[in-house]
Amino acid sequence: MIARKITYQGNFDPEMIGLIYDITRKIDITGELKAQGNKEVVLNLEGDPSMIKLVQHMVEHKVKTAITGKTVEQIPFQYYTGITFLA
């Protein structure tokens, strides 16, 4: 089990932010999605490394036209339950 903070920079409309949330929720991973305006989306995810990679791959495939940058950091576990969406 690992925890990662994935930050996407770009131009995200509300529909794209909702799509990112849906992808994360369907993978059934724990964490938090923070939309900071329409310029940045932060995913704090905990779980199996392969599931975190799957979320990254699916997000980057679905909204690749909006993404201009990405950073990935290791973070400590927060013991999330489910996925939380914070706008």
Side-chain angles (χ1 to χ4, degrees):
M1 299 292 271
I2 63 170
R4 294 283 185 262
K5 176 181 180 180
I6 305 162
T7 305
Y8 292 105
Q9 296 87 24
N11 295 309
F12 304 100
D13 60 29
E15 184 178 313
M16 287 182 185
I17 294 169
L19 181 61
I20 293 169
Y21 174 74
D22 286 342
I23 289 168
T24 308
R25 189 173 45 91
K26 286 177 186 172
I27 300 294
D28 195 27
I29 197 163
T30 60
E32 177 178 81
L33 182 146
K34 295 180 192 175
Q36 300 174 335
N38 65 344
K39 298 290 182 192
E40 190 171 84
V41 174
V42 178
L43 293 167
N44 295 318
L45 303 175
E46 294 180 348
D48 185 82
S50 64
M51 292 306 201
I52 292 174
K53 282 287 194 187
L54 179 60
V55 168
Q56 282 182 265
H57 173 75
M58 290 182 73
V59 166
E60 291 165 16
H61 177 73
K62 293 286 184 176
V63 297
K64 64 183 168 190
T65 58
I67 297 172
T68 59
K70 174 182 95 168
T71 58
V72 179
E73 304 172 42
Q74 184 172 340
I75 59 173
F77 278 95
Q78 300 294 316
Y79 305 107
Y80 295 107
T81 56
I83 186 79
T84 305
F85 178 65
L86 303 170

